[in-house]
Amino acid sequence: MKKNYTYAIITVLIWATMAAVVKKMLFDIPNLEALAVSSLFAFLFLLLVNIKNGMIKELKSYSIKDYAVMVILGFIGLFLYSAAYYYGLSQLSSQEACILNYLWPIMLVIFSCIILKEKMTLMKGIAMLCSFVGIIVLSMGTKGSASGNTTLGIISCIIAAICYGLFSVLNKKVDFNQNISMMIIWLTVAIFSIPLGLITEKWVFIEGTQWIGILWLGIVVNAIAYLLWALALKDIENTAKIANMAYLIPFLSLVISAVFLKEQIKLQAIIALILIIGGILLQNFYEIKCNK
């Protein structure tokens, strides 16, 4: 049990750095270039891990249809999600983009009702209302980055949350080895990002400390943190106790962005964060109480 919490805490600390690291890189590196290179490193790292632990042999056990499903999941869940989120980060402050990103648990609820036919309850409705009010609060007076388009930034982050919520629901319907599927998923992200980026962007030569950001994002944030999160949720009876720790990420992200990017923590950001995360936690705690 202690190991599970240790893995979860490390993962939360790592993921909390994502918004600040990506925002810092996007000052100099085009969105899709950063996504393509970091996802390629994530794929290569997971490939080496799967080779070392012998899981690479499981590639033979999957059919073409299975791989097609993994590619679709990768396209929706991490390519479209990351591309939209990165764009949102380039247009907004990292704290604003990160807060909007945490609408994905609400999107998960919506898609669970539509796809998995789960029941929509009053508490779920209240939780969604709180989160949408949070969006309104955050959008009021938001100026975005110096040269950013605030409206497009907000829309992009909401689209990102929709994509990841849909991915989370679809991923629940399949039974793949997560180490293998995530390896294929990150490869999918790289495959789609590279040609699209080369066509739509003017790529730059990555140098110096920029490589540290790329490697941190690709290997640590995307690959290692995922593996630790999977270990944290393994063999534990009440996954909600671990999963709810993920809601510490936007709070920590605010602090990290303030320290490393010198972003001022705005009152409206704090209020929006409380509304969005509060609505999600209200729903989760209610469900835990009902299931006791």
Side-chain angles (χ1 to χ4, degrees):
M1 182 67 73
K2 290 183 179 180
K3 284 185 177 180
N4 296 75
Y5 281 102
T6 300
Y7 293 148
I9 290 171
I10 294 173
T11 303
V12 166
L13 292 174
I14 291 174
W15 278 344
T17 68
M18 180 181 177
V21 171
V22 173
K23 181 70 176 180
K24 184 72 173 178
M25 287 194 305
L26 294 181
F27 287 142
D28 304 305
I29 305 173
N31 297 357
L32 291 174
E33 180 181 3
L35 177 58
V37 179
S38 62
S39 60
L40 189 59
F41 275 113
F43 161 71
L44 292 173
F45 179 83
L46 290 172
L47 175 63
L48 292 175
V49 169
N50 287 328
I51 290 174
K52 185 176 180 180
N53 61 25
M55 288 186 182
I56 200 69
K57 297 177 182 178
E58 293 190 26
L59 287 173
K60 298 178 181 179
S61 64
Y62 294 111
S63 65
I64 294 177
K65 182 180 178 181
D66 292 331
Y67 285 115
V69 172
M70 292 181 197
V71 169
I72 292 172
L73 287 173
F75 179 79
I76 296 173
L78 288 180
F79 171 67
L80 291 181
Y81 161 74
S82 299
Y85 185 39
Y86 282 21
Y87 180 79
L89 277 164
S90 71
Q91 304 302 308
L92 304 170
S93 69
S94 65
Q95 60 179 279
E96 292 161 348
C98 183
I99 292 169
L100 288 171
N101 182 50
Y102 269 79
L103 285 171
W104 71 262
I106 292 298
M107 301 304 172
L108 187 151
V109 172
I110 294 174
F111 285 118
S112 293
C113 293
I114 297 173
I115 299 174
L116 302 180
K117 307 302 180 182
E118 293 184 3
K119 185 179 180 182
M120 173 60 74
T121 64
L122 176 62
M123 192 58 64
K124 288 180 180 179
I126 294 174
M128 285 189 287
L129 180 62
C130 285
S131 295
F132 285 126
V133 170
I135 296 177
I136 296 173
V137 171
L138 188 63
S139 63
M140 291 173 61
T142 297
K143 297 180 179 180
S145 61
S147 59
N149 186 313
T150 300
T151 301
L152 288 179
I154 291 174
I155 292 173
S156 294
C157 288
I158 294 174
I159 290 173
I162 291 172
C163 289
Y164 198 75
L166 178 59
F167 166 78
S168 299
V169 171
L170 295 177
N171 200 36
K172 289 175 67 175
K173 298 188 70 174
V174 296
D175 185 24
F176 299 139
N177 180 310
Q178 291 296 294
N179 284 18
I180 295 295
S181 66
M182 282 304 297
M183 181 183 74
I184 301 299
I185 283 172
W186 282 117
L187 176 61
T188 300
V189 176
I191 289 173
F192 280 102
S193 301
I194 292 172
L196 183 60
L198 290 172
I199 293 171
T200 61
E201 299 174 338
K202 183 178 180 180
W203 283 20
V204 300
F205 184 75
I206 300 173
E207 56 186 5
T209 56
Q210 292 174 342
W211 280 112
I212 297 176
I214 288 289
L215 291 172
W216 178 267
L217 183 62
I219 295 176
V220 181
V221 175
N222 293 343
I224 293 178
Y226 163 78
L227 291 176
L228 288 177
W229 190 249
L231 290 172
L233 295 176
K234 187 178 181 181
D235 300 326
I236 188 168
E237 292 182 2
N238 191 346
T239 58
K241 289 183 178 181
I242 294 292
N244 282 335
M245 294 179 68
Y247 300 121
L248 292 172
I249 294 173
F251 289 97
L252 294 174
S253 185
L254 290 184
V255 177
I256 292 172
S257 295
V259 173
F260 291 99
L261 299 180
K262 308 301 181 184
E263 289 185 358
Q264 182 181 0
I265 299 178
K266 302 175 183 177
L267 177 60
Q268 68 184 51
I270 296 175
I271 295 174
L273 182 60
I274 291 172
L275 286 168
I276 292 173
I277 304 303
I280 295 166
L281 291 177
L282 179 67
Q283 171 197 311
N284 286 347
F285 288 138
Y286 176 79
E287 290 182 355
I288 291 172
K289 183 177 180 181
C290 290
N291 291 330
K292 282 185 178 180

